[in-house]
Structures are given as C-alpha cells and as structure tokens.
C-alpha cells in the first residue's frame, strides 16, 4: 500500500491505495471521483480532481 494525498477545494486527505492495481496513466478512482497526478506534496504523491469534459 502507498500513501497518497487527495487535494480538492472541499478537502485535503491522505489515503492508502495499491498503486499497481488502482492507477492507470496517472489517473485513479478514489472517494467516488477520478483523480490525476499533480506532482508531490511533502514527498507524498499528490492527486487533484480530473477535469470533466
């Protein structure tokens, strides 16, 4: 399991996921949303909501 940070205007949360199973091309599904990798924050991968459209 790998700890990542989910960052959105409404919350900032760290969760643990299985990167090998859950991440495809820097996109992942978590907390009912699709997230895209946006660098690192304090050494932890940071993900922000993927733009819709």
């Amino acid at each position: 399991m790998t700890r990542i940070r989910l960052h959105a205007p409404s919350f900032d949360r760290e969760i643990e996921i299985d990167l090998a199973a859950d991440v495809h091309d820097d996109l992942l599904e978590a907390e009912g949303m699709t997230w895209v990798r946006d660098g690192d924050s304090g050494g932890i991968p940071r993900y922000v909501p993927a733009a819709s459209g």
Side-chain angles (χ1 to χ4, degrees):
M1 299 299 271
T2 301
R3 182 170 292 276
I4 65 167
R5 176 168 287 137
L6 302 177
H7 178 76
S10 59
F11 68 93
D12 188 30
R13 181 175 307 155
E14 289 184 12
I15 64 170
E16 290 189 1
I17 64 166
D18 180 1
L19 282 178
D22 295 336
V23 177
H24 306 285
D25 298 324
D26 287 334
L27 292 174
L28 67 90
E29 293 287 332
E31 304 289 326
M33 296 174 62
T34 301
W35 301 83
V36 64
R37 177 95 184 248
D38 185 43
D40 293 332
S41 176
I44 298 173
R46 179 176 185 249
Y47 287 81
V48 296
S52 61

